[in-house]
């Protein structure tokens, strides 16, 4: 976007003077915490600080000097960001000050690199032993890097962070990812099949599942620091016109479409075959009623509507792949970061609000079969059957007059032992699986999608996920290890919980999905 804060926040002369006096950019570190990761250069005073995904000292510097010192430069890729606009900047000052700073920084970096090369050549001439030692150290470093490099990032193709965050989350849900990875190449079947959907008439001869399979395999190989999901994104463009272009999209909408599309494609490409052994991971479900998507993410809700006039009760069962939760209104006016002693919103508050009895508004009057007319009524949701992976979407965006605004309330969520038994149907005669107990109703967190920023059509998406026993932060191409405390402090947008006692149908037996 074009920023209107550049003239007062970009001081090319001051920054250039500071650059002349500082060390080589390769040796820069945050002025506060001394880290050398995610460094940003203030274009008003030349101070180097770390970004918001490390310790946020660059943003703290702006807060101290507000409204000045809001424009900074990414020392890695020279991108410009404005903290007031909360967006990356594409324009320059009338005098071209940003380009001058970039050029000066590149000159200093090139000069430092040349000096480093000369020093290295001099050391090589002086001692063959030191050369041998240096080469050995490099070889050892490459070997160590290969051993450590087991987590690949996803390159941002232009505001595609919404897709990257969802893909990284799904790739770390072992049962789902393991099944998709083990699928044989579907290209031959794809040429003979055609998808029929009501929502989209374009792209019916294109299949997302094959490109997703290739992407997940590449992510788990870990042979590269970052891979490009360009092929998958181009298929998404073909099958979903609204995702075309490089505008920021909603991660939850993308996730829902992706899962729905995968379910439809798998039912088309891999129909049930009774002649194949029942525990094969390559066959669909009996009678074509389910796929790996519904077997893992699918649950059932029961809605109960009661007429307030005659007491007539109506029940309906609805399948779901995720549950969207409102943030209770009593918490939406709170400050984003609660102070000491202030009541904090818990995930259980959102779940309780979802299952509470509510009276339908006048615009939603219920057509009572007994009264033969529309009457005032109440509605309540129960969870009739829990899924193996419980996906919870927190409604952080609401319409306010003409704009969608973000609810930035912090919500506490458990990393382990989410108990769902309180929100299930408890009448034994209603369903055989209604009263889940123990590990059947307990869930542990596997991944979180986070939205950073203030608007629905802007900001940035990242994700946290458990990978081989440890928590990692996936920020497009960057993958960094983090602790549980960091995860617990994030402002979650989508939560993926995995049931401790996973129950899969025969065609998705653990033996086949984990091999």
């Amino acid at each position: 976007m074009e920023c209107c804060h550049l003239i007062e926040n970009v001081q090319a002369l001051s920054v250039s003077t500071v650059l002349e006096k500082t060390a080589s950019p390769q040796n820069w570190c945050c002025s506060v915490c001394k880290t050398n990761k995610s460094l940003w250069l203030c274009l008003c005073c030349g101070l180097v600080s770390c970004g918001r995904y490390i310790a946020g000292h660059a943003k703290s510097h702006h807060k101290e000097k507000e409204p000045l010192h809001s424009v900074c430069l990414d020392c890695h890729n020279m991108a410009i960001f404005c903290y007031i606009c909360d967006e990356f900047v594409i324009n320059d000052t009338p005098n071209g000050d940003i380009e001058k700073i970039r050029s000066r920084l590149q000159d200093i970096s090139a000069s430092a690199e040349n000096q480093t090369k000369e020093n290295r050549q001099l050391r090589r001439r002086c001692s063959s032993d030191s050369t041998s030692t240096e080469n050995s150290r490099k070889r050892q470093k490459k070997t160590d890097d290969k051993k450590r490099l087991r987590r690949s990032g996803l390159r941002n193709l232009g505001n595609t962070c919404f897709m990257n965050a969802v893909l990284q989350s799904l790739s770390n849900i072992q049962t789902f990812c393991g099944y998709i990875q083990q699928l044989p190449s579907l290209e031959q079947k794809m040429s003979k099949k055609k998808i029929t959907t009501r929502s989209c008439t374009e792209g019916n001869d294109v299949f997302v599942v094959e490109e997703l399979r290739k992407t997940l395999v590449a992510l788990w190989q870990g042979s590269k620091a970052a891979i490009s999901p360009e092929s998958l994104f181009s298929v998404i463009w073909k099958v979903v016109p609204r995702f075309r272009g490089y505008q920021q999209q909603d991660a939850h909408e993308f996730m829902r479409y992706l899962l729905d599309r995968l379910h439809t494609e798998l039912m088309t490409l891999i129909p049930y075959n009774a002649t194949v052994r029942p525990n094969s991971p390559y066959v669909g479900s009996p009678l074509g009623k389910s796929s790996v998507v519904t077997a893992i993410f699918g649950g059932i809700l029961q809605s109960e509507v009661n007429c307030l006039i005659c007491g007539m009760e109506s029940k309906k069962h609805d399948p779901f792949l995720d549950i969207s939760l409102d943030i209770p209104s009593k918490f939406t006016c709170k400050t984003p970061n609660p102070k000491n002693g202030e009541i904090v919103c818990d995930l259980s508050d959102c779940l309780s609000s979802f299952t509470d009895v509510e009276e339908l508004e006048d615009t939603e009057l219920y057509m009572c079969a007994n009264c033969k007319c529309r009457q005032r009524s109440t509605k309540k949701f129960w969870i009739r059957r829990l899924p193996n992976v419980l996906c919870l979407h927190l409604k952080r965006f609401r319409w306010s007059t003409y704009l969608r605004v973000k609810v930035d309330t912090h919500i506490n969520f458990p990393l382990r032992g989410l108990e769902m038994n309180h929100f299930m149907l408890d009448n034994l005669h209603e369903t055989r699986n209604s009263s889940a107990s123990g590990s059947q109703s307990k869930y542990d967190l596997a991944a979180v999608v986070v939205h950073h920023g203030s608007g629905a059509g802007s900001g940035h998406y990242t994700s946290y996920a458990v990978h081989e026993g440890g928590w990692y932060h996936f920020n497009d191409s960057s993958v960094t290890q983090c602790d549980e405390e960091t995860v617990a402090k994030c402002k979650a947008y989508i939560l993926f919980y995995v049931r401790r006692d996973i129950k899969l149908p025969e065609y998705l037996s653990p033996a086949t999905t984990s091999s």
Side-chain angles (χ1 to χ4, degrees), residues 27-40 47-61 64:
N27 299 324
W28 282 0
C29 62
C30 174
S31 60
V32 180
C33 64
K34 307 306 178 186
T35 181
N36 60 357
K37 297 179 180 179
S38 184
L39 298 180
W40 293 80
L47 186 73
V48 176
S49 309
C50 62
R52 68 174 71 186
Y53 304 117
I54 306 299
H57 290 127
K59 187 174 183 179
S60 299
H61 172 64
E64 293 172 2

Side-chain angles (χ1 to χ4, degrees), residues 19 61 72 122 144 152 169 213 222 255 271 378 401 429 439 477:
L19 293 178
H61 172 64
C72 54
L122 181 61
D144 293 343
S152 296
S169 298
R213 183 187 68 82
M255 182 203 73
T378 61
T401 314
H429 69 277
S439 58
S477 300

Side-chain angles (χ1 to χ4, degrees), residues 11 34 67 77 106 140 172 267 294 311 327 382 482 511:
Q11 304 295 330
K34 307 306 178 186
N77 57 23
Q106 288 173 344
Q140 184 62 41
N172 286 288
M267 297 311 303
T294 53
I327 299 174
W382 292 97
C482 63

Side-chain angles (χ1 to χ4, degrees), residues 133-290:
T133 303
E134 178 72 13
N135 291 336
S136 176
R137 185 187 67 80
K138 287 183 177 180
R139 285 194 296 270
Q140 184 62 41
K141 183 176 183 298
K142 288 182 179 180
T143 303
D144 293 343
D145 287 344
K146 286 182 179 179
K147 290 179 180 178
R148 287 195 302 265
L149 192 58
R150 294 293 306 279
R151 301 156 299 275
S152 296
L154 289 167
R155 292 194 182 96
N156 193 318
L157 307 176
N159 277 332
T160 58
C161 55
F162 68 94
M163 178 179 72
N164 293 346
V166 171
L167 291 178
Q168 291 286 14
S169 298
L170 295 177
S171 74
N172 286 288
I173 296 175
Q174 304 296 332
T175 309
F176 173 78
C177 182
Y179 178 91
I180 298 297
Q181 282 181 291
Q182 290 182 73
L183 288 173
S185 177
L186 301 172
E187 291 179 350
Q188 291 184 350
K189 289 188 177 184
M190 287 162 52
S191 62
K192 302 176 183 178
K193 299 284 186 177
K194 208 168 192 179
I195 293 292
T196 303
T197 60
R198 290 175 295 178
S199 58
C200 178
T201 56
E202 297 184 60
N204 288 343
D205 56 347
V206 177
F207 290 81
V208 175
V209 64
E210 178 64 11
E211 292 303 328
L212 177 65
R213 183 187 68 82
K214 295 175 182 177
T215 302
L216 294 180
V217 169
L219 281 175
W220 272 88
Q221 284 177 343
S223 56
K224 298 180 180 179
I227 65 172
S228 174
E230 186 174 0
S231 297
L232 176 60
F233 193 46
S234 64
V235 172
I236 296 293
W237 273 26
K238 292 178 182 178
V239 298
V240 197
R242 70 178 307 263
F243 287 131
R244 292 175 186 172
Y246 296 97
Q247 300 85 10
Q248 181 65 281
Q249 303 287 349
D250 186 274
H252 175 248
E253 292 179 7
F254 171 76
M255 182 203 73
R256 278 307 313 266
Y257 180 82
L258 178 65
L259 293 180
D260 288 340
R261 179 78 184 191
L262 288 175
H263 170 69
T264 304
E265 291 184 5
L266 288 171
M267 297 311 303
T268 303
L269 293 171
I270 317 177
Y272 176 64
N273 185 351
T275 62
V276 181
R277 57 191 178 92
N279 63 344
S280 170
Y282 308 135
V283 299
S285 62
L287 305 180
K289 293 180 180 179
S290 179

Side-chain angles (χ1 to χ4, degrees), residues 106-117:
Q106 288 173 344
D107 291 343
I108 294 173
S109 299
S111 176
E113 188 174 346
N114 290 336
Q115 186 63 42
T116 301
K117 288 181 179 179

